[in-house]
Amino acid sequence: MDVIAALGELGLGGRLLTSTAAVAAYASDGLAAFHELPRAVVLAESAQEVIAAVRVCHDHDTPFVARGSGTSLSGGSLPNPDGIVIALNRLNRVLAIDPDARTARVQPGTINLEVSRAAAVHGLEYAPDPSSQQVCSIGGNLAFNSGGAHCLKHGMTANHVLGIRAVLPDGEVVDLGGGSTEVAGPDWTGLFCGSEGLFGIALEVTLRLVPIAEAKRTFLVAYDSLERAGDAVAQIVAAGLLPVAMEIMDELAMQAAEASVKPNYPKAAALLIVELEGETDVVAADAVLLDALLADSGAASVTSTEDPEARALIWKGRKSAFSAVGWLAPDYIVQDGVVPRTRLGEALVEIGRLGSEAGLRVANVFHAGDGNLHPLILFDGREPGAQERAEQLAGEILAMCVRFGGSITGEHGVGVEKRQYLELMFSEDDLALMGELRRAVDPEELANRGKMLVPLRDRVA
Amino acid sequence: MTASPENPAEVQEAVRGASRVLPHGAGTKPALSGVPGDDRAADGHGAADGHGAADGHRAADGETGVVCLDLRALSGIVEYDPAELTLTAQANTPLADLSATLAEHGQYLPFDPPLQAAGATLAGAVAAASSGPGAFRHGGVRDFVIGVTLVDGTGRLVHGGGKVVKNAAGFDLPKLMVGSAGRLGIMVRLSVKVLPAPRAHRDLAFVAPTRQAALELMGRLGRGPVHLDALELDEAGRLRVRLGGAEEVLEDRARRLAGFVGLDPADPVDPGEGQGHGARQDTGHSDSQGDGLDPIAWMPAGSRAVRVVLNPAQAAVLLDTLGAVPAPLRLSLGANLAWVAWPGDRPLEELDRRLTKLGLAGMPLTGAPGPRPLLGSAPGGAFARRIRAALDPDHRFLEL
Amino acid sequence: MQHHIATEELGPRAEHMTGPIEACVHCGFCLPTCPTYVTLGEEMDSPRGRIFLMKEVLEGQVELEVAQPYLDNCLGCVACVSACPSGVQYGDLITAFRAHAEPQRHRPAGEVLQRELTLATLPHPRRFRLAARSGRLAKPFAPMLPAALSSMLRLLPDRLPRQRRLPEIWPAVGTRRARVALLAGCAQQVLAPEINWATLRVLAANGVETIIPRGQACCGALAMHTGEADRAQRTAVKNLTAFPRDIDAVLTNAAGCGSGMHEYGLLFAGTPEQARAQELAGQVQDISVFLDQLGWVAPPPALPRPTRVAYHDACHLAHAQGVRGAPRRLLAAIENLELVEPAEWELCCGSAGTYNVERPELAAQLGRRKRDNLLATGAELIATGNIGCMTQLATHLREGDAELPVLHTIELIDRAYRRELTAS
């Protein structure tokens, strides 16, 4: 019996998709440059169905990919040709919230923002906020250790995942961690987070919640150069302030945002967004310090607001920036490198130089507080050679990040897209160990095969 | 036999040359760094003075065939730029050295690891996952370790993570080292995130009428309007709260907190330390070292300090179970952790059984080592077994 | 997205299809606002999935027949356009694609008959009135009829309101501040003639003279959105000449008609009428937008007692025309009226033109979901800007034993002026 027939015996009915149109819709995720047709898609509605589907795949030596909302920017849920997609988007319930313990137990397809919506009645929220938070799922966040604009203070997804029930690639179910912020014994939960689906599929996740800050003040600061904006970030940190977010957008990125959601940003070469949150008194006191500091930072203008609607618009502009670049050019590549934050200015100059050498426009949007760059390389795919030049430029930017002591990815993950650059960061031994860890858990390399690590079979061939 | 490697290459060599190997630093947590079955490794928490533990390790040789790796030579800050809010150091740099350097720049280790005065090292804090009370504000050890260089069970030198605050490349080996008790790899270098230290502190204590009320109040405070640096329920049943931040608003915040709690602040007297009365304010001091919140100093002489990890919902049942022994405990980090003073005359196996029954896990830090460092129900199952097998295929490291 | 579509074979509608496909970056921001994705939970029933499928069909990678069911599921609510950060004009794409694909598809006889029935009656007031009367007689037999027909019947009110012939001109009260032409609409005239009368009275009270051009016809939106471009053109072309140029605006009071007329440029693309069609489209405004911009002569008097009103966003106002603020501002100007917002404002109620006839089960699921969200606000009254939504909401409220009134925004304002607003 082949794998499709075996899946057919799971009683999924219309939730086993095999028609060409249905599987075609699953060919790509948020990285549309890559597409592969899976053999079938399983629309799971329970953890039992996920486990059963994984076991069938394992028994038939068939690779499988878990998919939540399909928003990965590194091709994290790109199907394998002849593989199976296990769609988790219907497993989208918040199972329990314990307000005193400040935890939420959710299914993996739960939309990131829905966790905060469900927790709001208790005065709590889920802190990690990727720009796609209204659509991306917790399972995907967990697999790729997603970040967001507010990592500076709150950390990344892995810092907020306390426990995982997961099915390993051979169908065995394990419990990692629990409901505590602390660990006794090795942090297996921490290792599973960010493993890009290579260790299996999360079935149930316990998340840490944080109190909703009673005051939030967002500053919009205009500068006549990116360097000045970058310097201001360093000054803010040096002054001992701990904003919850510090973001920078350059002129091109602002143009895109303006064309898209019209956030009414001031006209400037660089825009710095700084957000303070916390107790009313503390935010007020910090705002005075910050105001004085920004006034001395060579800013062209400084405004700030606590108004929820005005703040929402500022963030909408920022969070739409990637997709909004679609207004400026037919195609783009978004990168996700990290540099030490003290080298931001240098890195931006270098990106500018590399971009003009390649004859390509680069828009910059970044989590300045974390040194996490998001250069958006604009090109027109219909122009011969343009895509190749863009890809080469992307590689050069990542190499620069590593040279500066940073990382090739801050929050999007390696996926299919940055696999070739992993060796810039890690030695042969490092990668060998990662491969051994992967195969210790999944000897046949069935789970999300081809992401992050080159499968052994491909290296031998 | 003891080896005292002076650099990563010598650690690799030592691992390759041994059939069984156990690393240690200053020996402040002998329950983890001592060879099981060797009672001389330490007694009570006397090792907390930082001396003698290493002798214990030496004595272990011959009896078990375990090579004890004294890693104290791997010490020193490698890279620290205050503007980066990150620090890279050789793994066994004493925490006190790190704290002193950070304090010069108004920064601190937000996970507040204990036993600093006794000489505890960074790798020791990571291996024990020993987050102190001050970790309530920003998170524990697992939230701040961002990079590691380690020697695995085959003697390979490997890196994981990096030295920037945000990084999603490759498997998160740094997190895996947290709580690994020297049994998954030997850390030789670590990178951690650091943060600006609160400029001033104010400690408050409250006495709730009943234990149930105290636990409920703890839950309420955790999501209350005033953000706390520490939230503990001490062994005497008092809620101990620390506020940290700018001095000019501390007074108002303390008043607001008292209003929210609806109880008058009690005297936060510390039996162990004889701390002064009333609310305390101390600038230039950003962790709980040696003060009334120290998680170990309060413990009766002769008891072993055991970290027990829990969900706040399990606090009451843990208090019941250990109260019956009796073994006093302090709920820390808003009841995500318990510091248990396990009586020195009771076998650890008993605690192991009790924790297993409750589905909880713990790890002793001080006192003689038990057969395994991990007590109670250890999660991880097949995943843990397979990862361990990959990191240590020849079983050079001791059992977890 | 990059594509390999042979654009030269697609005719004048080509760029309305390739443009949106090129602009889509596959980010998925449209997913949570799409009523079919939210209900069905399948990628091919999402805007992103449909764009991909249309691309594949146009490239010849996927056969039209296998993709069609998913494309047919689309309500055309264009909530995805509101959610899209890349500016993908999905409405243009699906309308153009449906027009492109319709001649190539083979519909079963029953479906053809039903479409024919719908499109031949709904847009024609006299025929619709006749059909509705006989339909009323058939209501008791609804459970025995095929789903599509019975759902049509369920939407009919128990009694049809009395009809009065609309005047050709309705003068302003006091000084004339503006002069407009009104699209009278088709199904709305039969189901809720009061909306037009309310429009005339409110406009007059605010110094606006309204003309109702005699030669006007159905706007064509219903046919256009179901892929019947020729049929749409045949009726819409009458409006190109019927509406005069020398007026301040062409007003619509049904969201679907307004959005349909805004699309005249696309409907007449590549025809000699294109320029006039674009000109007319540029004059079209929803009644709420016009009134909001003009400003009150005097707002309606305070309601007799505090009344909680939930405003329901019609997709073809909120998403297709980007109108959300104007009706809210108008309502909020009435003293004692407390405006409340239902959850999931962006989700379609399931009416969507002929959708609740063609996909009754899905439409009913959405209708119930919308009803629950509206009831959760604790409102005593619901205001909205589209006859289709009003019918759908009333049906599902009735079926849920919730008898709160559903009024057109302009009706509510009119009743407030006439001090006739009593919620229950």
Side-chain angles (χ1 to χ4, degrees), chain A residues 136-449:
Chain A
C136 63
S137 69
I138 292 297
N141 289 177
L142 184 156
F144 286 80
N145 195 12
S146 304
H150 293 75
C151 293
L152 180 56
K153 186 168 178 182
H154 290 301
M156 314 208 1
T157 299
N159 302 113
H160 297 266
V161 173
L162 305 182
I164 304 169
R165 168 165 291 177
V167 55
L168 301 182
D170 59 355
E172 181 150 356
V173 176
V174 294
D175 283 301
L176 312 176
S180 175
T181 57
E182 286 291 303
V183 291
D187 186 2
W188 307 113
T189 312
L191 179 66
F192 197 93
C193 284
S195 60
E196 305 201 357
L198 268 58
F199 290 144
I201 301 177
L203 303 170
E204 218 176 273
V205 188
T206 304
L207 300 170
R208 186 158 78 98
L209 302 172
V210 299
I212 299 172
E214 62 178 356
K216 298 186 181 191
R217 177 168 284 276
T218 310
F219 289 72
L220 270 188
V221 198
Y223 290 94
D224 56 13
S225 79
L226 277 173
E227 288 69 30
R228 281 233 167 108
D231 290 347
V233 169
Q235 287 166 24
I236 292 168
V237 172
L241 287 166
L242 186 61
V244 71
M246 285 197 271
E247 304 280 304
I248 294 180
M249 294 171 80
D250 72 3
E251 209 170 352
L252 209 48
M254 279 190 276
Q255 256 179 44
E258 209 58 54
S260 166
V261 299
K262 301 180 181 49
N264 281 321
Y265 292 146
K267 274 216 156 312
L271 180 75
L272 172 65
I273 303 172
V274 185
E275 187 156 279
L276 297 173
E277 67 163 49
E279 293 161 47
T280 308
D281 289 359
V282 177
V283 168
D286 284 353
V288 172
L289 281 176
L290 184 59
D291 248 333
L293 193 152
L294 292 171
D296 282 348
S297 69
S301 72
V302 183
T303 56
S304 74
T305 176
E306 288 197 20
D307 177 63
E309 273 183 37
R311 288 185 47 256
L313 187 62
I314 291 173
W315 282 111
K316 193 173 181 196
R318 163 61 190 87
K319 292 191 172 189
S320 303
F322 288 1
S323 313
V325 163
W327 290 79
L328 301 184
D331 300 288
Y332 70 88
I333 296 176
V334 55
Q335 276 306 349
D336 175 41
V338 185
V339 295
R341 68 164 78 71
T342 48
R343 302 192 70 176
L344 265 179
E346 230 179 308
L348 292 167
V349 171
E350 183 68 3
I351 290 173
R353 194 184 64 77
L354 292 170
S356 52
E357 263 180 31
L360 293 166
R361 290 191 299 166
V362 182
N364 283 293
V365 185
F366 48 97
H367 306 304
D370 308 317
N372 188 186
L373 304 166
H374 289 310
L376 296 144
I377 302 166
L378 312 184
F379 66 98
D380 183 343
R382 291 165 297 192
E383 190 186 303
Q387 177 155 0
E388 290 69 26
R389 275 186 297 142
E391 279 167 6
Q392 199 193 335
L393 174 59
E396 284 166 6
I397 292 173
L398 293 185
M400 174 207 74
C401 291
V402 176
R403 210 166 54 238
F404 280 15
S407 169
I408 59 168
T409 172
E411 54 186 6
H412 298 171
V414 176
V416 281
E417 187 225 3
K418 290 184 281 287
R419 213 174 62 171
Q420 54 178 316
Y421 302 115
L422 207 55
E423 57 193 37
L424 295 175
M425 273 182 82
F426 295 109
S427 72
E428 213 170 293
D429 278 352
D430 302 343
L431 292 172
L433 175 65
M434 288 186 201
E436 288 158 22
L437 292 174
R438 142 71 144 186
R439 287 187 299 279
V441 178
D442 181 9
E444 293 85 21
E445 301 185 274
L446 298 177
N448 218 4
R449 177 185 289 167

Side-chain angles (χ1 to χ4, degrees), chain A residues 98-103 122-124 144-145 147-149 151-153 155-156 158-162 168-170 172 174-177 179-196 198-199 208 211-214 234 237-242 278-282 285-286 289 338-343 367 369-372 374 404-414 422 425-427 429-430 432-438 440-442 452-453, chain B residues 12 81-86 105-107 128-131 135-144 150 152 154 156-173 175-181 184 193 195-197 199 215-216 218-228 231 243-244 246 248-249 252-253 256 307-314 333-337 361-363 374-375 378-391 400:
Chain A
D98 181 340
D100 282 341
R102 285 176 290 137
T103 58
H122 305 291
L124 298 169
F144 286 80
N145 195 12
C151 293
L152 180 56
K153 186 168 178 182
M156 314 208 1
N159 302 113
H160 297 266
V161 173
L162 305 182
L168 301 182
D170 59 355
E172 181 150 356
V174 294
D175 283 301
L176 312 176
S180 175
T181 57
E182 286 291 303
V183 291
D187 186 2
W188 307 113
T189 312
L191 179 66
F192 197 93
C193 284
S195 60
E196 305 201 357
L198 268 58
F199 290 144
R208 186 158 78 98
I212 299 172
E214 62 178 356
V237 172
L241 287 166
L242 186 61
E279 293 161 47
T280 308
D281 289 359
V282 177
D286 284 353
L289 281 176
V338 185
V339 295
R341 68 164 78 71
T342 48
R343 302 192 70 176
H367 306 304
D370 308 317
N372 188 186
H374 289 310
F404 280 15
S407 169
I408 59 168
T409 172
E411 54 186 6
H412 298 171
V414 176
L422 207 55
M425 273 182 82
F426 295 109
S427 72
D429 278 352
D430 302 343
L433 175 65
M434 288 186 201
E436 288 158 22
L437 292 174
R438 142 71 144 186
V441 178
D442 181 9
M452 190 200 299
L453 302 173
Chain B
Q12 290 179 270
D81 178 347
E84 287 298 341
L85 296 178
T86 61
H105 300 277
Q107 299 183 348
S130 53
S131 314
F136 184 72
R137 182 60 178 269
H138 293 291
V141 180
R142 75 183 293 257
D143 298 304
F144 287 90
L150 61 94
D152 73 4
T154 67
R156 250 183 330 199
L157 189 71
V158 289
H159 311 78
K163 52 181 191 175
V164 281
V165 294
K166 212 169 173 188
N167 183 6
F171 293 137
D172 200 338
L173 297 181
K175 280 209 179 56
L176 184 59
M177 288 298 111
V178 177
S180 62
L184 278 181
K193 288 203 285 182
L195 287 176
R199 277 162 286 183
L215 288 174
E216 276 170 21
M218 207 172 190
R220 220 153 60 78
L221 280 169
R223 61 194 153 95
V226 182
H227 294 185
L228 308 175
L231 176 58
L243 287 174
E248 51 281 19
V249 288
D252 286 346
R253 292 175 61 209
R256 184 169 179 205
R307 284 178 77 247
V308 174
V309 161
L310 70 154
N311 178 275
Q314 299 163 306
L333 303 174
N336 279 282
L337 180 69
M363 202 179 251
L374 203 47
L375 305 176
F383 183 67
R385 282 195 303 276
R386 295 178 198 178
I387 294 294
R388 262 175 75 72
L391 274 164
L400 254 168

Side-chain angles (χ1 to χ4, degrees), chain A residues 70-91:
Chain A
T71 55
S72 170
L73 292 170
S74 59
S77 51
L78 179 76
N80 294 103
D82 300 323
I84 304 299
V85 170
I86 301 177
L88 304 173
N89 59 304
R90 294 185 182 201
L91 287 164

Side-chain angles (χ1 to χ4, degrees), chain C residues 172-173 175-178 180 201-209 251 285-300 326-327 329-331 333 410 413 417:
Chain C
V173 174
T175 316
R176 193 176 91 182
R177 299 163 75 204
V180 299
R201 284 191 294 263
V202 172
L203 284 172
N206 284 284
V208 182
E209 176 181 294
L251 297 191
Q285 270 189 335
D286 185 72
I287 173 71
S288 64
V289 175
F290 177 80
L291 207 52
D292 178 53
Q293 283 175 3
L294 182 72
W296 305 106
V297 166
R329 278 191 295 273
L330 294 177
L331 293 174
I410 203 72
I413 293 169
Y417 269 122

